Amino acid sequence: MSYETYFQTEREAQLVELKEWLAIPSISALSVHKEDVNSAAHWLMDTLKRAGLENIEIHPTAGHPVIYADYLHAPGKPTILVYGHYDVQPVDPLHLWTTPPFEPEIRDGKLYARGATDDKGQVFMHIKAIEAILKQEGTLPVNIKLCIEGEEEIGSVNLPPFLEASKDKLAADAVLVSDTALLERGRPAICTGLRGLCSLEVSVNTALTDLHSGSYGGGVPNALHALVSLLSSLHDGNGRVAVDGFYDGVPDLSPLLCEEFAKQGVNEEKIREALGLEQLYGEEGYSFVERVGARPTLELNGVYGGFQGEGSKTVIPKEAHAKITCRLVGDQDPQHILDVVEAHLKANIQAGAKLHVKQMEKARAFNIDPSNPILQTAADAFGKVYGTRALFTKDGGSIPIMESFSRILKAPVVLMGFGLDDENLHAPDEHFNLENFDKGLLTIVEFLKTV
């Protein structure tokens, strides 16, 4: 029986099974759902056992458990470690869901439920692809390990220590991940880079209290003026970050990467119109797709202080605040970036104002050379099933744990995603296009049989 026929025969039963998992509200961020997260982990263990995997283990952490399983009966063949997560995002605002988030429903060829695309649906495909090969051929063409966690949606805080402690158990020739998206329907992509991240909060203080602008205006520092002046110093007139040392570790764009970006055929005018903008903006000398995928940024996420109520109030604020995040690329060190930004702020603070900086989250960028043979094999697998070979992309977002896998296990990471950007992950009415469920199963099988 061909794999296409096999999956057509099993499709209904597989979707019923997936709906069972999606019905478990495994929201890792909310303590009230701790037992639900645990239930989702045990459901996964039972499913892995039925699929034919071995050495299935649940590893407790300081938070939610990590599930491990393997099938190691292909001596001399590569070992592939499949990573994914079984936790999901909160569902608020609930009233914006067409159907309840944990009552899965198929409408117009799409499976609606929290976790449908991020990431239970995509993890489930790997399990079913492995099960299909075992049922069809009695063994696997490669060695398989699985590491499925329950804390990705809260930053994977307990996974790096697990990776460090389990390096031998998890050793692999490649890490296979499905937690990303196609470029668009029918156009597969393999992500070769995810930006890193660091963040900080800035506070500026002046007098002991807010002051009357009639009595003190023009004679004392204004916290808002000082903050706005400080923040405006962070960029030059060409959209480039004006912080000494900010671009340390940023690589030049390679000809291969520029070629892959060009192949995407991104229509900047269409993006501008869809966003209702008069024009796009960013670092001069780079296209939109280069700016958001392969260049670092420094963004103001919130600026606040002073009177914000109705009408006017002639006040000189004593304090003002800003939240800043930086997206990082290449070998940028998040701690170095935080330090140079803080040094810049301290050097440029207005006389009479006091500055306080709170450094916060840090995550390195993930990068892999698209010429890596295993990525080329993955691109070919997409091509055989989708009829068009996968393009290599850079994603402007961050999945911090990808860098940890690459660094700790010293293995290439293959980001072979089957979602679509419009599937409302993290939002109401999250869904998964079943066209990509069907094609994804075949693509995973093709990859495992040819890697």
Side-chain angles (χ1 to χ4, degrees):
M1 182 187 303
S2 71
Y3 281 98
E4 188 169 1
T5 301
Y6 171 88
F7 285 123
Q8 288 174 351
T9 302
E10 296 291 325
R11 188 177 195 264
E12 193 61 36
Q14 288 180 351
L15 290 176
V16 168
E17 194 174 356
L18 175 55
K19 286 179 181 180
E20 291 178 2
W21 202 21
L22 293 171
I24 302 173
S26 51
I27 305 172
S28 54
L30 303 179
S31 59
V32 68
H33 287 287
K34 182 175 178 61
E35 287 306 313
D36 293 316
V37 179
N38 198 48
S39 294
H42 281 87
W43 186 97
L44 175 59
M45 293 177 69
D46 292 341
T47 302
L48 292 170
K49 184 176 181 179
R50 290 195 303 271
L53 286 146
E54 302 171 342
N55 301 312
I56 301 162
E57 302 166 354
I58 185 165
H59 292 270
T61 71
H64 302 301
V66 175
I67 305 302
Y68 172 86
D70 63 35
Y71 192 89
L72 308 175
H73 299 286
K77 298 294 185 178
T79 297
I80 306 299
L81 174 65
V82 176
Y83 163 79
H85 63 94
Y86 61 87
D87 64 320
V88 300
Q89 281 278 325
V91 296
D92 302 54
L94 193 58
H95 70 278
L96 294 181
W97 287 79
T98 302
T99 52
F102 297 109
E103 296 180 17
E105 180 175 293
I106 296 174
R107 302 194 301 273
D108 301 322
K110 303 171 184 178
L111 175 58
Y112 286 81
R114 174 58 90 227
T117 188
D118 182 24
D119 183 37
K120 287 179 178 176
Q122 299 203 55
V123 171
F124 185 77
M125 288 194 302
H126 285 276
I127 300 170
K128 291 302 164 184
I130 292 167
E131 180 181 70
I133 298 174
L134 285 172
K135 285 186 174 180
Q136 292 270 88
E137 304 184 27
T139 190
L140 297 180
V142 293
N143 300 294
I144 286 285
K145 299 177 180 179
L146 293 96
C147 175
I148 315 296
E149 67 158 323
E151 295 186 326
E152 195 276 342
E153 301 293 6
I154 53 174
S156 301
V157 290
N158 291 298
L159 190 56
F162 175 77
L163 297 181
E164 291 281 7
S166 309
K167 282 189 286 190
D168 291 341
K169 177 189 284 288
L170 299 174
D173 295 291
V175 181
L176 179 60
V177 184
S178 294
D179 197 10
T180 50
L182 310 179
L183 274 175
E184 58 188 24
R185 184 180 177 185
R187 296 187 70 200
I190 295 173
C191 178
T192 64
L194 294 159
R195 291 196 287 191
L197 179 72
C198 63
S199 66
L200 60 156
E201 293 183 353
V202 178
S203 298
V204 171
N205 296 87
T206 50
L208 294 175
T209 184
D210 289 355
L211 299 170
H212 190 294
S213 68
S215 302
Y216 293 95
V220 298
N222 180 314
L224 276 173
H225 290 184
L227 180 65
V228 170
S229 174
L230 184 61
L231 298 179
S232 68
S233 75
L234 291 168
H235 292 85
D236 66 19
N238 297 318
R240 185 176 173 87
V241 178
V243 174
D244 287 343
F246 184 84
Y247 289 92
D248 293 349
V250 176
D252 294 331
L253 300 185
S254 69
L256 175 59
L257 185 57
C258 290
E259 182 181 342
E260 290 296 319
F261 280 148
K263 287 178 183 176
Q264 293 180 32
V266 173
N267 186 326
E268 295 194 4
E269 183 63 15
K270 185 177 179 180
I271 293 172
R272 183 196 66 77
E273 290 180 353
L275 296 175
L277 293 170
E278 292 187 2
Q279 65 181 56
L280 299 177
Y281 175 81
E283 188 181 2
E284 195 171 271
Y286 295 94
S287 67
F288 174 84
V289 69
E290 290 168 346
R291 290 169 182 165
V292 301
R295 296 297 293 170
T297 66
L298 187 155
E299 299 286 356
L300 307 180
N301 308 118
V303 179
Y304 51 100
F307 177 66
Q308 299 174 52
E310 185 177 355
S312 66
K313 183 181 182 183
T314 53
V315 64
I316 299 173
K318 74 179 184 70
E319 63 182 66
H321 309 273
K323 294 180 182 290
I324 299 173
T325 54
C326 301
R327 296 285 181 174
L328 311 178
V329 301
D331 293 322
Q332 282 183 296
D333 179 352
Q335 185 60 61
H336 171 71
I337 298 303
L338 288 172
D339 290 342
V340 296
V341 172
E342 182 171 346
H344 176 96
L345 294 170
K346 288 179 176 177
N348 288 275
I349 188 67
Q350 181 180 297
K354 298 181 288 292
L355 175 71
H356 175 71
V357 176
K358 180 182 179 183
Q359 297 187 5
M360 300 174 67
E361 58 196 326
K362 295 177 289 186
R364 284 185 173 271
F366 160 75
N367 293 283
I368 184 170
D369 187 340
S371 66
N372 188 298
I374 199 163
L375 265 64
Q376 295 296 320
T377 299
D380 289 339
F382 270 117
K384 185 161 185 179
V385 175
Y386 280 81
T388 181
R389 198 170 188 267
L391 294 177
F392 297 106
T393 64
K394 294 283 189 181
D395 195 320
S398 304
I399 308 178
I401 200 62
M402 293 301 97
E403 187 275 337
S404 298
F405 270 106
S406 177
R407 173 174 46 83
I408 295 171
L409 300 185
K410 302 187 186 314
V413 177
V414 184
L415 287 162
M416 181 183 272
F418 299 95
L420 289 172
D421 284 336
D422 63 358
E423 289 179 334
N424 291 2
L425 62 165
H426 294 204
D429 278 355
E430 178 181 348
H431 58 276
F432 190 27
N433 282 265
L434 294 181
E435 174 187 15
N436 291 319
F437 176 81
D438 298 332
K439 290 184 176 180
L441 288 165
L442 294 170
T443 304
I444 294 167
V445 169
E446 179 65 24
F447 174 75
L448 293 179
K449 288 173 67 66
T450 56
V451 68

